[in-house]
Amino acid sequence: MRYPSTGNEVYLGLNLSNTMLTGIGKGTITRETVSVDYLKDLFSKHGVIVSCKPEQRPLLLRMNETYDLGLDIPESLKLFQLSEQHRRLVVVNVQGVQRKNGSLLSSYSEEELAEATFTFVKYYVQSKHYDDLVAENKQLKAELEQDEAWINREDSI
């Protein structure tokens, strides 16, 4: 499967770090676990850029094979920062493989790769800060209540 180049691609990687977030300034990040079907739809609409270290390539190939994602996995690490254009990041969580000090190992045997399972978490960056969103929601709710009061008023004639 070939995904489009849209200029608004979704980043996909095996971790989330503060350096990925330095390009966004003040904002709100939402997080949700997503399905493979959701990912395929998301990638087909926006495109995808895979970011992984060369030693992680076998894990991503295994994931690609398991879920038929059709991702182009680069030979070298593509660093990125979330920005106004690139607001989405999918982090692949890998279970069932050994780790050292919480980190993935630099290589795994075929047997270990066969035991790997994957889940996906989408992070989305909104340009509005959470506090601003809460204030806007409060204002809209007050306006709605005023409109409802006006519509349901009882005139004293």
Side-chain angles (χ1 to χ4, degrees):
M1 176 179 288
R2 295 297 279 163
Y3 297 110
S5 294
T6 64
N8 296 308
E9 286 83 357
V10 178
Y11 290 115
L12 181 132
L14 292 170
N15 63 0
L16 174 66
S17 71
N18 282 333
T19 58
M20 296 173 184
L21 305 174
T22 57
I24 58 170
K26 187 176 178 181
T28 300
I29 300 172
T30 57
R31 177 191 183 280
E32 66 178 311
T33 302
V34 295
S35 69
V36 172
D37 289 334
Y38 177 90
L39 285 183
K40 288 179 180 179
D41 185 52
L42 184 69
F43 296 161
S44 68
K45 288 178 184 172
H46 300 283
V48 61
I49 297 171
V50 177
S51 174
C52 68
K53 295 177 183 174
E55 62 266 18
Q56 296 167 333
R57 185 177 170 79
L59 279 171
L60 289 179
L61 288 171
R62 172 74 178 152
M63 177 199 67
N64 228 2
E65 176 185 299
T66 301
Y67 298 110
D68 192 30
L69 284 172
L71 298 172
D72 291 329
I73 301 171
E75 295 292 330
S76 60
L77 176 63
K78 289 185 176 182
L79 296 175
F80 66 88
Q81 289 181 339
L82 296 177
S83 65
E84 289 299 315
Q85 290 80 24
H86 299 281
R87 298 174 172 267
R88 295 172 188 86
L89 166 66
V90 173
V91 175
V92 179
N93 293 318
V94 183
Q95 295 89 29
V97 294
Q98 293 183 28
R99 295 173 182 268
K100 182 176 181 179
N101 297 326
S103 296
L104 294 169
L105 301 178
S106 59
S107 67
Y108 293 100
S109 68
E110 286 299 318
E111 294 79 24
E112 289 172 314
L113 287 174
E115 295 294 319
T117 59
F118 306 91
T119 56
F120 308 95
V121 178
K122 181 187 83 168
Y123 293 83
Y124 180 75
V125 179
Q126 298 180 46
S127 60
K128 288 188 177 181
H129 190 272
Y130 177 78
D131 294 341
D132 297 336
L133 291 171
V134 169
E136 183 179 324
N137 191 35
K138 186 176 180 180
Q139 176 66 31
L140 290 171
K141 186 175 180 181
E143 290 173 8
L144 178 61
E145 288 171 354
Q146 283 180 336
D147 288 348
E148 287 175 342
W150 175 256
I151 291 169
N152 296 324
R153 74 186 184 288
E154 292 184 23
D155 292 331
S156 56
I157 297 184

PDB file of all heavy atoms in Angstrom, residues 36 40 57-71 73 110 113-116 118 120:
ATOM      1  N   VAL A  36      -5.680  -0.842  14.171  1.00  0.00           N
ATOM      2  CA  VAL A  36      -4.948  -0.921  12.899  1.00  0.00           C
ATOM      3  C   VAL A  36      -5.804  -0.356  11.766  1.00  0.00           C
ATOM      4  O   VAL A  36      -5.298   0.366  10.901  1.00  0.00           O
ATOM      5  CB  VAL A  36      -4.519  -2.376  12.615  1.00  0.00           C
ATOM      6  CG1 VAL A  36      -3.947  -2.510  11.219  1.00  0.00           C
ATOM      7  CG2 VAL A  36      -3.523  -2.846  13.654  1.00  0.00           C
ATOM      8  N   LYS A  40      -4.741   2.643   9.203  1.00  0.00           N
ATOM      9  CA  LYS A  40      -4.740   2.550   7.739  1.00  0.00           C
ATOM     10  C   LYS A  40      -5.539   3.690   7.122  1.00  0.00           C
ATOM     11  O   LYS A  40      -5.117   4.295   6.135  1.00  0.00           O
ATOM     12  CB  LYS A  40      -5.284   1.196   7.296  1.00  0.00           C
ATOM     13  CG  LYS A  40      -4.330   0.047   7.573  1.00  0.00           C
ATOM     14  CD  LYS A  40      -4.944  -1.279   7.143  1.00  0.00           C
ATOM     15  CE  LYS A  40      -4.013  -2.429   7.410  1.00  0.00           C
ATOM     16  NZ  LYS A  40      -4.592  -3.732   7.021  1.00  0.00           N
ATOM     17  N   ARG A  57      14.518  -1.525  12.905  1.00  0.00           N
ATOM     18  CA  ARG A  57      13.894  -1.889  11.623  1.00  0.00           C
ATOM     19  C   ARG A  57      13.250  -3.280  11.639  1.00  0.00           C
ATOM     20  O   ARG A  57      12.115  -3.425  11.187  1.00  0.00           O
ATOM     21  CB  ARG A  57      14.936  -1.749  10.515  1.00  0.00           C
ATOM     22  CG  ARG A  57      14.418  -1.964   9.131  1.00  0.00           C
ATOM     23  CD  ARG A  57      15.527  -1.719   8.088  1.00  0.00           C
ATOM     24  NE  ARG A  57      15.113  -2.129   6.786  1.00  0.00           N
ATOM     25  CZ  ARG A  57      14.318  -1.428   5.999  1.00  0.00           C
ATOM     26  NH1 ARG A  57      13.880  -0.250   6.384  1.00  0.00           N
ATOM     27  NH2 ARG A  57      13.967  -1.883   4.817  1.00  0.00           N
ATOM     28  N   PRO A  58      13.923  -4.324  12.178  1.00  0.00           N
ATOM     29  CA  PRO A  58      13.282  -5.643  12.190  1.00  0.00           C
ATOM     30  C   PRO A  58      11.961  -5.674  12.967  1.00  0.00           C
ATOM     31  O   PRO A  58      11.013  -6.369  12.565  1.00  0.00           O
ATOM     32  CB  PRO A  58      14.324  -6.549  12.852  1.00  0.00           C
ATOM     33  CG  PRO A  58      15.632  -5.878  12.580  1.00  0.00           C
ATOM     34  CD  PRO A  58      15.325  -4.414  12.631  1.00  0.00           C
ATOM     35  N   LEU A  59      11.865  -4.913  14.043  1.00  0.00           N
ATOM     36  CA  LEU A  59      10.607  -4.845  14.792  1.00  0.00           C
ATOM     37  C   LEU A  59       9.498  -4.229  13.937  1.00  0.00           C
ATOM     38  O   LEU A  59       8.372  -4.733  13.904  1.00  0.00           O
ATOM     39  CB  LEU A  59      10.781  -4.020  16.065  1.00  0.00           C
ATOM     40  CG  LEU A  59      11.404  -4.712  17.261  1.00  0.00           C
ATOM     41  CD1 LEU A  59      11.704  -3.704  18.365  1.00  0.00           C
ATOM     42  CD2 LEU A  59      10.496  -5.807  17.788  1.00  0.00           C
ATOM     43  N   LEU A  60       9.840  -3.145  13.246  1.00  0.00           N
ATOM     44  CA  LEU A  60       8.825  -2.501  12.414  1.00  0.00           C
ATOM     45  C   LEU A  60       8.470  -3.351  11.190  1.00  0.00           C
ATOM     46  O   LEU A  60       7.320  -3.348  10.754  1.00  0.00           O
ATOM     47  CB  LEU A  60       9.277  -1.103  12.006  1.00  0.00           C
ATOM     48  CG  LEU A  60       9.286  -0.092  13.158  1.00  0.00           C
ATOM     49  CD1 LEU A  60       9.768   1.263  12.685  1.00  0.00           C
ATOM     50  CD2 LEU A  60       7.938   0.029  13.806  1.00  0.00           C
ATOM     51  N   LEU A  61       9.434  -4.069  10.652  1.00  0.00           N
ATOM     52  CA  LEU A  61       9.118  -4.994   9.560  1.00  0.00           C
ATOM     53  C   LEU A  61       8.160  -6.073  10.041  1.00  0.00           C
ATOM     54  O   LEU A  61       7.222  -6.443   9.325  1.00  0.00           O
ATOM     55  CB  LEU A  61      10.400  -5.608   8.992  1.00  0.00           C
ATOM     56  CG  LEU A  61      11.288  -4.670   8.173  1.00  0.00           C
ATOM     57  CD1 LEU A  61      12.628  -5.329   7.853  1.00  0.00           C
ATOM     58  CD2 LEU A  61      10.584  -4.222   6.907  1.00  0.00           C
ATOM     59  N   ARG A  62       8.389  -6.577  11.237  1.00  0.00           N
ATOM     60  CA  ARG A  62       7.491  -7.581  11.837  1.00  0.00           C
ATOM     61  C   ARG A  62       6.089  -7.004  12.013  1.00  0.00           C
ATOM     62  O   ARG A  62       5.090  -7.629  11.697  1.00  0.00           O
ATOM     63  CB  ARG A  62       8.078  -8.061  13.171  1.00  0.00           C
ATOM     64  CG  ARG A  62       7.166  -8.933  13.974  1.00  0.00           C
ATOM     65  CD  ARG A  62       7.053 -10.318  13.381  1.00  0.00           C
ATOM     66  NE  ARG A  62       6.191 -11.099  14.250  1.00  0.00           N
ATOM     67  CZ  ARG A  62       5.469 -12.100  13.842  1.00  0.00           C
ATOM     68  NH1 ARG A  62       5.557 -12.518  12.598  1.00  0.00           N
ATOM     69  NH2 ARG A  62       4.684 -12.744  14.665  1.00  0.00           N
ATOM     70  N   MET A  63       6.000  -5.777  12.514  1.00  0.00           N
ATOM     71  CA  MET A  63       4.712  -5.110  12.685  1.00  0.00           C
ATOM     72  C   MET A  63       4.024  -4.912  11.329  1.00  0.00           C
ATOM     73  O   MET A  63       2.834  -5.187  11.172  1.00  0.00           O
ATOM     74  CB  MET A  63       4.930  -3.760  13.363  1.00  0.00           C
ATOM     75  CG  MET A  63       3.671  -2.945  13.537  1.00  0.00           C
ATOM     76  SD  MET A  63       4.020  -1.208  13.802  1.00  0.00           S
ATOM     77  CE  MET A  63       4.698  -0.716  12.229  1.00  0.00           C
ATOM     78  N   ASN A  64       4.788  -4.474  10.345  1.00  0.00           N
ATOM     79  CA  ASN A  64       4.283  -4.275   8.994  1.00  0.00           C
ATOM     80  C   ASN A  64       3.706  -5.570   8.432  1.00  0.00           C
ATOM     81  O   ASN A  64       2.626  -5.591   7.841  1.00  0.00           O
ATOM     82  CB  ASN A  64       5.440  -3.804   8.107  1.00  0.00           C
ATOM     83  CG  ASN A  64       5.101  -2.611   7.265  1.00  0.00           C
ATOM     84  OD1 ASN A  64       4.011  -2.065   7.327  1.00  0.00           O
ATOM     85  ND2 ASN A  64       6.065  -2.193   6.478  1.00  0.00           N
ATOM     86  N   GLU A  65       4.452  -6.646   8.626  1.00  0.00           N
ATOM     87  CA  GLU A  65       4.044  -7.967   8.146  1.00  0.00           C
ATOM     88  C   GLU A  65       2.794  -8.456   8.882  1.00  0.00           C
ATOM     89  O   GLU A  65       1.862  -8.968   8.268  1.00  0.00           O
ATOM     90  CB  GLU A  65       5.209  -8.937   8.373  1.00  0.00           C
ATOM     91  CG  GLU A  65       4.951 -10.367   8.017  1.00  0.00           C
ATOM     92  CD  GLU A  65       6.159 -11.223   8.405  1.00  0.00           C
ATOM     93  OE1 GLU A  65       7.253 -10.979   7.880  1.00  0.00           O
ATOM     94  OE2 GLU A  65       5.975 -12.114   9.266  1.00  0.00           O
ATOM     95  N   THR A  66       2.763  -8.275  10.193  1.00  0.00           N
ATOM     96  CA  THR A  66       1.648  -8.749  11.009  1.00  0.00           C
ATOM     97  C   THR A  66       0.340  -8.048  10.646  1.00  0.00           C
ATOM     98  O   THR A  66      -0.711  -8.684  10.548  1.00  0.00           O
ATOM     99  CB  THR A  66       1.944  -8.530  12.513  1.00  0.00           C
ATOM    100  OG1 THR A  66       3.141  -9.237  12.848  1.00  0.00           O
ATOM    101  CG2 THR A  66       0.806  -9.003  13.382  1.00  0.00           C
ATOM    102  N   TYR A  67       0.384  -6.744  10.436  1.00  0.00           N
ATOM    103  CA  TYR A  67      -0.832  -5.961  10.231  1.00  0.00           C
ATOM    104  C   TYR A  67      -1.029  -5.470   8.805  1.00  0.00           C
ATOM    105  O   TYR A  67      -1.967  -4.717   8.548  1.00  0.00           O
ATOM    106  CB  TYR A  67      -0.843  -4.767  11.191  1.00  0.00           C
ATOM    107  CG  TYR A  67      -0.862  -5.197  12.629  1.00  0.00           C
ATOM    108  CD1 TYR A  67       0.256  -5.014  13.434  1.00  0.00           C
ATOM    109  CD2 TYR A  67      -1.981  -5.807  13.186  1.00  0.00           C
ATOM    110  CE1 TYR A  67       0.249  -5.414  14.759  1.00  0.00           C
ATOM    111  CE2 TYR A  67      -1.996  -6.211  14.507  1.00  0.00           C
ATOM    112  CZ  TYR A  67      -0.875  -6.011  15.290  1.00  0.00           C
ATOM    113  OH  TYR A  67      -0.883  -6.409  16.596  1.00  0.00           O
ATOM    114  N   ASP A  68      -0.149  -5.859   7.895  1.00  0.00           N
ATOM    115  CA  ASP A  68      -0.258  -5.464   6.495  1.00  0.00           C
ATOM    116  C   ASP A  68      -0.426  -3.945   6.360  1.00  0.00           C
ATOM    117  O   ASP A  68      -1.301  -3.464   5.658  1.00  0.00           O
ATOM    118  CB  ASP A  68      -1.429  -6.201   5.832  1.00  0.00           C
ATOM    119  CG  ASP A  68      -1.406  -6.066   4.326  1.00  0.00           C
ATOM    120  OD1 ASP A  68      -0.305  -5.932   3.751  1.00  0.00           O
ATOM    121  OD2 ASP A  68      -2.505  -6.062   3.718  1.00  0.00           O
ATOM    122  N   LEU A  69       0.435  -3.203   7.061  1.00  0.00           N
ATOM    123  CA  LEU A  69       0.354  -1.744   7.040  1.00  0.00           C
ATOM    124  C   LEU A  69       0.958  -1.130   5.784  1.00  0.00           C
ATOM    125  O   LEU A  69       0.609  -0.022   5.404  1.00  0.00           O
ATOM    126  CB  LEU A  69       1.034  -1.146   8.275  1.00  0.00           C
ATOM    127  CG  LEU A  69       0.230  -1.258   9.563  1.00  0.00           C
ATOM    128  CD1 LEU A  69       1.068  -0.824  10.750  1.00  0.00           C
ATOM    129  CD2 LEU A  69      -1.031  -0.440   9.476  1.00  0.00           C
ATOM    130  N   GLY A  70       1.891  -1.816   5.150  1.00  0.00           N
ATOM    131  CA  GLY A  70       2.479  -1.291   3.926  1.00  0.00           C
ATOM    132  C   GLY A  70       3.312  -0.042   4.119  1.00  0.00           C
ATOM    133  O   GLY A  70       3.361   0.822   3.251  1.00  0.00           O
ATOM    134  N   LEU A  71       3.972   0.057   5.264  1.00  0.00           N
ATOM    135  CA  LEU A  71       4.791   1.231   5.549  1.00  0.00           C
ATOM    136  C   LEU A  71       6.139   1.155   4.862  1.00  0.00           C
ATOM    137  O   LEU A  71       6.735   0.089   4.781  1.00  0.00           O
ATOM    138  CB  LEU A  71       5.018   1.354   7.058  1.00  0.00           C
ATOM    139  CG  LEU A  71       3.785   1.539   7.924  1.00  0.00           C
ATOM    140  CD1 LEU A  71       4.161   1.453   9.391  1.00  0.00           C
ATOM    141  CD2 LEU A  71       3.118   2.860   7.611  1.00  0.00           C
ATOM    142  N   ILE A  73       9.722   1.724   5.459  1.00  0.00           N
ATOM    143  CA  ILE A  73      10.570   1.872   6.637  1.00  0.00           C
ATOM    144  C   ILE A  73      11.950   2.306   6.170  1.00  0.00           C
ATOM    145  O   ILE A  73      12.603   1.606   5.402  1.00  0.00           O
ATOM    146  CB  ILE A  73      10.618   0.552   7.435  1.00  0.00           C
ATOM    147  CG1 ILE A  73       9.195   0.178   7.858  1.00  0.00           C
ATOM    148  CG2 ILE A  73      11.522   0.702   8.655  1.00  0.00           C
ATOM    149  CD1 ILE A  73       9.060  -1.187   8.459  1.00  0.00           C
ATOM    150  N   GLU A 110      14.823 -14.303  15.536  1.00  0.00           N
ATOM    151  CA  GLU A 110      13.559 -14.546  14.832  1.00  0.00           C
ATOM    152  C   GLU A 110      12.482 -15.046  15.792  1.00  0.00           C
ATOM    153  O   GLU A 110      11.315 -14.674  15.671  1.00  0.00           O
ATOM    154  CB  GLU A 110      13.757 -15.543  13.681  1.00  0.00           C
ATOM    155  CG  GLU A 110      14.464 -14.962  12.483  1.00  0.00           C
ATOM    156  CD  GLU A 110      13.709 -13.794  11.851  1.00  0.00           C
ATOM    157  OE1 GLU A 110      12.466 -13.855  11.713  1.00  0.00           O
ATOM    158  OE2 GLU A 110      14.372 -12.794  11.505  1.00  0.00           O
ATOM    159  N   LEU A 113      11.252 -12.070  17.789  1.00  0.00           N
ATOM    160  CA  LEU A 113      10.407 -11.230  16.943  1.00  0.00           C
ATOM    161  C   LEU A 113       9.028 -11.843  16.757  1.00  0.00           C
ATOM    162  O   LEU A 113       8.022 -11.131  16.698  1.00  0.00           O
ATOM    163  CB  LEU A 113      11.064 -10.990  15.580  1.00  0.00           C
ATOM    164  CG  LEU A 113      12.249 -10.029  15.568  1.00  0.00           C
ATOM    165  CD1 LEU A 113      12.896 -10.010  14.189  1.00  0.00           C
ATOM    166  CD2 LEU A 113      11.830  -8.629  15.980  1.00  0.00           C
ATOM    167  N   ALA A 114       8.974 -13.169  16.686  1.00  0.00           N
ATOM    168  CA  ALA A 114       7.696 -13.858  16.524  1.00  0.00           C
ATOM    169  C   ALA A 114       6.790 -13.655  17.740  1.00  0.00           C
ATOM    170  O   ALA A 114       5.564 -13.726  17.628  1.00  0.00           O
ATOM    171  CB  ALA A 114       7.929 -15.345  16.275  1.00  0.00           C
ATOM    172  N   GLU A 115       7.386 -13.395  18.914  1.00  0.00           N
ATOM    173  CA  GLU A 115       6.617 -13.186  20.146  1.00  0.00           C
ATOM    174  C   GLU A 115       6.151 -11.744  20.313  1.00  0.00           C
ATOM    175  O   GLU A 115       5.328 -11.446  21.182  1.00  0.00           O
ATOM    176  CB  GLU A 115       7.464 -13.581  21.366  1.00  0.00           C
ATOM    177  CG  GLU A 115       7.810 -15.057  21.424  1.00  0.00           C
ATOM    178  CD  GLU A 115       6.586 -15.937  21.631  1.00  0.00           C
ATOM    179  OE1 GLU A 115       5.720 -15.547  22.443  1.00  0.00           O
ATOM    180  OE2 GLU A 115       6.500 -16.985  20.979  1.00  0.00           O
ATOM    181  N   ALA A 116       6.653 -10.839  19.510  1.00  0.00           N
ATOM    182  CA  ALA A 116       6.327  -9.422  19.665  1.00  0.00           C
ATOM    183  C   ALA A 116       4.861  -9.156  19.329  1.00  0.00           C
ATOM    184  O   ALA A 116       4.316  -9.699  18.364  1.00  0.00           O
ATOM    185  CB  ALA A 116       7.231  -8.579  18.775  1.00  0.00           C
ATOM    186  N   PHE A 118       1.975  -5.688  19.247  1.00  0.00           N
ATOM    187  CA  PHE A 118       2.028  -4.249  19.040  1.00  0.00           C
ATOM    188  C   PHE A 118       0.676  -3.611  19.349  1.00  0.00           C
ATOM    189  O   PHE A 118      -0.363  -4.170  19.022  1.00  0.00           O
ATOM    190  CB  PHE A 118       2.401  -3.937  17.582  1.00  0.00           C
ATOM    191  CG  PHE A 118       3.660  -4.611  17.130  1.00  0.00           C
ATOM    192  CD1 PHE A 118       3.627  -5.866  16.539  1.00  0.00           C
ATOM    193  CD2 PHE A 118       4.887  -3.992  17.311  1.00  0.00           C
ATOM    194  CE1 PHE A 118       4.790  -6.501  16.127  1.00  0.00           C
ATOM    195  CE2 PHE A 118       6.058  -4.614  16.902  1.00  0.00           C
ATOM    196  CZ  PHE A 118       6.009  -5.869  16.315  1.00  0.00           C
ATOM    197  N   PHE A 120      -1.066   0.603  19.403  1.00  0.00           N
ATOM    198  CA  PHE A 120      -0.809   1.904  18.784  1.00  0.00           C
ATOM    199  C   PHE A 120      -1.516   3.015  19.552  1.00  0.00           C
ATOM    200  O   PHE A 120      -2.693   2.902  19.881  1.00  0.00           O
ATOM    201  CB  PHE A 120      -1.296   1.886  17.335  1.00  0.00           C
ATOM    202  CG  PHE A 120      -0.748   0.720  16.560  1.00  0.00           C
ATOM    203  CD1 PHE A 120      -1.473  -0.452  16.433  1.00  0.00           C
ATOM    204  CD2 PHE A 120       0.504   0.784  15.985  1.00  0.00           C
ATOM    205  CE1 PHE A 120      -0.963  -1.541  15.741  1.00  0.00           C
ATOM    206  CE2 PHE A 120       1.026  -0.298  15.292  1.00  0.00           C
ATOM    207  CZ  PHE A 120       0.290  -1.465  15.168  1.00  0.00           C
TER     208      PHE A 120
END
